[in-house]
């Protein structure tokens, strides 16, 4: 059966690969002869434990995650991680943050509730349109970690080079770039990612943390669910996890492994982004919001310069089968999120539509 599907440029929840959706659809009533849907089965069952174990193993293979890193899934998405990071890792020292947009700013606000925070670099002076120089940051000796949002979904910037942390632990929110390109996990102490951007359904984050960073105890006020130690020891199953999301993520991990891995994804994503940014750079109507050297491969932010015209573009694109091109409510403008699952023909079709729209002005 064929379905009418639009090109979905949403920043999240976002597109998933169609072959994955078709496989999920075929199993939704009866998973591999179990007689039930994954949504119905016990998280303590042998069937689901196999689903979970394969998902973790496949993610380890995809990213080349070393054995001394723990991998687990936590409900609550990114907003919960803004609190879990400082609750677990900000102790008697300082949490150093690089402020590059909406999501790093929210992480900073949350961390201030739990300890001392220092903003060691910021691009707020130019509306977060660039990534600041992080080659020689003023990091205090008692810093517990350095935190970045490696790809700012709303603002459309990304780190092309990781900060020089002066030997301190690097923590990265990779939500909207997760699995879009190869990643040297050993460059980080902790990586977390909300899965709704590039992997699966909303409501959950993947956490990858070096074992020696997991604290033995938590502040007395902290809920036990917020402990990385508990989550790691219980294999994401201290309480009933989001079984459906884990199952769907596992499907995407297998899909990526079968289609060339992260090297192949990077090549495809660079090609898609080039098509879109080349169009922006020659357009007289549309212009990008970000310093070209810091442009995201995943989230392309742009504008006509007029709120009314931007709104007209959103309406026209939606009518033509291109959905979710409206910029985030906090910044306005336009945004095309072109994650792994967005085919190149979708980007090409959007560019041709925008060219035609401009020509008619």
């Amino acid at each position: 059966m064929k379905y009418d599907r639009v090109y979905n440029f949403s920043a999240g929840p976002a597109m998933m690969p169609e072959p994955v959706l078709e496989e999920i659809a075929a199993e939704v009533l009866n998973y591999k002869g179990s007689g039930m849907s994954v949504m119905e089965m016990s998280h303590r069952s042998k069937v689901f434990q196999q689903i979970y174990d394969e998902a973790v193993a496949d993610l380890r293979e995809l990213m080349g995650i070393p054995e001394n890193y723990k991998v687990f899934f936590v409900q609550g998405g990114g907003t919960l991680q803004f609190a879990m990071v400082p609750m677990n890792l900000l102790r008697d020292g300082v949490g150093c943050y690089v402020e590059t947009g909406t999501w790093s700013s929210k992480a900073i606000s949350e961390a201030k509730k739990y300890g001392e925070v220092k903003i060691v670099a910021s691009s707020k002076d130019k509306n977060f349109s660039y990534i600041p120089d992080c080659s020689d940051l003023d990091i205090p000796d008692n810093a517990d970690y350095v935190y970045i949002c490696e790809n700012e979904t709303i603002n459309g910037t990304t780190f092309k080079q990781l900060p020089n942390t002066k030997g301190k632990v690097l923590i990265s929110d990779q939500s909207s770039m997760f699995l879009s390109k190869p990643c040297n996990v050993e460059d980080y102490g902790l990586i977390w990612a909300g899965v709704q951007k590039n992997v699966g359904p909303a409501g959950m984050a993947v956490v990858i943390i070096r074992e020696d960073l997991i604290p033995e105890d938590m502040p007395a006020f902290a809920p036990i669910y917020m402990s990385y130690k508990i989550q790691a020891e219980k294999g994401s199953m201290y309480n009933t996890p989001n079984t459906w999301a884990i199952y769907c993520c596992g499907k995407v991990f297998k899909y990526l492994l079968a289609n060339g891995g992260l090297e192949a994804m990077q090549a495809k994503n660079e090609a898609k982004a080039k098509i879109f940014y080349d169009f922006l750079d020659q357009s007289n109507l549309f212009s990008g919001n970000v310093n070209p050297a810091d442009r995201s491969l995943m989230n392309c932010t742009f504008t006509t310069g007029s709120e009314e015209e931007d709104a007209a573009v959103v309406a026209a694109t939606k009518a033509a089968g291109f959905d979710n091109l409206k910029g985030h409510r906090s910044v306005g403008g336009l945004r095309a999120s072109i994650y792994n699952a967005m085919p190149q023909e979708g980007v090409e079709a959007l560019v041709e539509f925008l060219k035609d729209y401009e020509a008619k002005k």
Side-chain angles (χ1 to χ4, degrees), residues 275-283 286 351 354-355 358:
I275 291 167
F276 195 81
Y277 288 127
D278 282 352
F279 159 69
L280 285 186
D281 289 341
Q282 59 81 42
S283 174
F286 301 99
V351 165
L354 293 176
K355 283 181 179 178
E358 179 176 351

Side-chain angles (χ1 to χ4, degrees), residues 63 150 158-160 177-183 198 262-263 265-266 269-270 297 340:
M63 297 183 72
E150 200 162 338
T158 197
F159 282 78
K160 301 295 173 64
M177 59 170 291
F178 192 56
L179 304 185
S180 65
K181 63 177 185 176
C183 172
N198 225 1
L262 302 189
E263 291 81 4
M265 290 304 106
Q266 181 178 19
N269 290 327
E270 288 177 346
L297 294 182
N340 287 351

Side-chain angles (χ1 to χ4, degrees), residues 43-267:
H43 62 295
R44 303 294 183 189
S45 67
K46 290 182 179 180
V47 177
F48 184 75
Q49 188 64 54
Q50 183 178 1
I51 290 171
Y52 179 86
D53 290 343
E54 287 185 10
V56 172
D58 288 342
L59 181 59
R60 284 187 174 279
E61 182 180 350
L62 260 178
M63 297 183 72
I65 300 173
E67 286 301 313
N68 64 323
Y69 284 73
K70 293 291 188 181
V71 177
F72 46 88
F73 299 88
V74 183
Q75 297 180 68
T79 299
L80 193 72
Q81 291 308 307
F82 296 157
M84 284 187 78
V85 167
M87 273 190 186
N88 283 266
L89 302 182
L90 182 54
R91 293 309 177 100
D92 298 323
V94 179
C96 295
Y97 283 72
V98 180
E99 184 184 36
T100 51
T102 301
W103 297 117
S104 52
S105 298
K106 287 182 180 292
I108 289 165
S109 296
E110 192 69 19
K112 287 178 177 178
K113 298 176 183 178
Y114 308 109
E116 184 181 351
V117 169
K118 179 179 182 180
I119 298 174
V120 293
S122 177
S123 55
K124 190 174 183 179
D125 61 325
K126 295 184 179 179
N127 296 318
F128 301 122
S129 61
Y130 70 102
I131 296 294
D133 182 4
C134 295
S135 62
D136 189 22
L137 299 173
D138 182 15
I139 298 172
D141 291 339
N142 66 336
D144 285 321
Y145 58 80
V146 178
Y147 180 106
I148 62 173
C149 178
E150 200 162 338
N151 188 94
E152 287 279 1
T153 320
I154 290 174
N155 304 89
T157 58
T158 197
F159 282 78
K160 301 295 173 64
Q161 184 173 346
L162 294 178
N164 177 3
T165 66
K166 310 291 181 68
K168 301 300 181 179
V169 172
L170 179 62
I171 296 173
S172 178
D173 166 7
Q174 287 194 358
S175 295
S176 53
M177 59 170 291
F178 192 56
L179 304 185
S180 65
K181 63 177 185 176
C183 172
N184 183 14
V185 175
E186 291 182 303
D187 288 340
Y188 308 82
L190 188 157
I191 296 167
W192 69 263
V195 303
Q196 74 276 15
K197 311 292 188 180
N198 225 1
V199 187
M204 190 176 66
V206 177
V207 176
I208 303 166
I209 183 171
R210 207 172 68 213
E211 288 179 344
D212 64 291
L213 298 177
I214 300 174
E216 285 298 316
D217 57 1
M218 290 282 285
F221 65 82
I224 192 168
Y225 185 79
M226 305 285 275
S227 166
Y228 284 144
K229 183 174 186 288
I230 289 294
Q231 295 292 347
E233 287 180 347
K234 300 298 183 181
S236 312
M237 296 191 200
Y238 172 74
N239 69 334
T240 307
N242 187 335
T243 54
W244 180 253
I246 292 170
Y247 159 75
C248 293
C249 289
K251 291 288 188 186
V252 173
F253 300 156
K254 288 185 183 299
Y255 172 83
L256 294 176
L257 284 169
N259 285 273
L262 302 189
E263 291 81 4
M265 290 304 106
Q266 181 178 19

Side-chain angles (χ1 to χ4, degrees), residues 322-338:
F322 306 100
D323 209 356
N324 292 304
L325 281 154
K326 184 178 180 180
H328 191 271
R329 62 186 181 278
S330 65
V331 298
L334 302 159
R335 174 177 55 176
S337 293
I338 51 176

